[in-house]
Amino acid sequence: MSRSAPALRPYLPDDAPLLAAIFSASIMDLTGDDYSEAQQEAWAMAADDEAAFGKKLAGQLTLIATLQGAPVGFASLKGADLIDMLYVHPSAVGQGVGGALCDALEKIASARGTKTLKVDASDTALEFFRKRGYVAQQRNSVTINDEWLANTTMQKQLDGVATPGGHA
Ligand code: ACO
């Protein structure tokens, strides 16, 4: 497996099926310590309607990470200040793919004048975001396809000012 840095590119409409597959594999393979199988399945089902999933990706600022030309992860910025999606294929975790995607979204948001970036982090991604300087603000329960899933709203000051603390 390649250890080279991931390359990034914008989302294109033809990417939807592949990103739906990455989304589903990422959830089903990587979140099992934090969510039940029923919760994982409900979450992963959000990409079953590929047309709707593609429309959502196209409506946000979506970046794709590739390793040796092959897409291995993606992330999206919703509006000016919310990281809405961040998913890395199980075969590519731990190689800096998620970090590279977040670096890019943070830079883009900052360049657009956003001071505070937010994310509703899955329990699986909580530590990833904490390491990047995101601070937990509140716990949430959201319903996805009739299952309740917990996440944590976190935020990071992009201008280097410390975020007032909260607790997960
Ligand atoms: N727990 C603790 N630390 C982690 C985790 C984790 N689950 N994942 C990554 N890290 C750490 C890495 O060790 C690394 O630390 P280092 O810089 O000290 O070496 C750092 O975070 C960066 O790691 P990357 O290799 O860049 O992250 P990766 O490519 O593995 O992607 C991600 C992390 C996105 C959380 C991936 O595990 C994933 O897709 N998880 C499942 C899907 C998910 O829950 N996505 C988030 C949903 S919430 C949302 O979308 C907003």
Side-chain angles (χ1 to χ4, degrees):
M1 180 166 297
S2 169
R3 292 280 157 184
S4 57
L8 302 183
R9 66 166 174 82
Y11 168 79
L12 298 168
D14 285 352
D15 293 318
L18 199 49
L19 298 203
I22 291 173
F23 177 83
S24 174
S26 179
I27 292 164
M28 296 310 295
D29 282 17
L30 299 176
T31 70
D33 287 348
D34 306 296
Y35 298 94
S36 71
E37 207 172 315
Q39 289 174 316
Q40 288 176 292
E41 282 168 1
W43 185 3
M45 258 199 295
D48 281 2
D49 182 343
E50 270 175 22
F53 187 66
K55 197 172 169 192
K56 182 176 175 182
L57 293 165
Q60 302 185 358
L61 194 162
T62 302
L63 295 179
I64 297 176
T66 62
L67 285 174
Q68 297 179 322
V72 290
F74 66 97
S76 73
L77 185 67
K78 184 178 182 182
D81 66 354
L82 179 73
I83 295 178
D84 188 44
M85 290 186 273
L86 172 67
Y87 295 90
V88 174
H89 192 275
S91 67
V93 285
Q95 297 183 61
V97 173
L101 285 163
C102 270
D103 281 346
L105 289 189
E106 288 170 12
K107 276 185 193 146
I108 290 167
S110 183
R112 290 175 165 183
T114 300
K115 301 283 183 231
T116 306
L117 196 55
K118 294 180 189 167
V119 62
D120 289 335
S122 69
D123 289 352
T124 308
L126 194 73
E127 195 53 34
F128 168 87
F129 283 109
R130 206 191 307 269
K131 277 188 174 177
R132 299 186 59 82
Y134 289 76
V135 177
Q137 303 294 310
Q138 66 177 50
R139 289 283 282 166
N140 312 300
S141 288
V142 294
T143 43
I144 306 177
N145 293 316
D146 295 331
E147 284 286 331
W148 286 93
L149 280 81
N151 64 33
T152 302
T153 300
M154 306 180 84
Q155 65 181 44
K156 176 177 179 175
Q157 297 300 123
L158 297 180
D159 53 10
V161 178
T163 302
H167 293 287

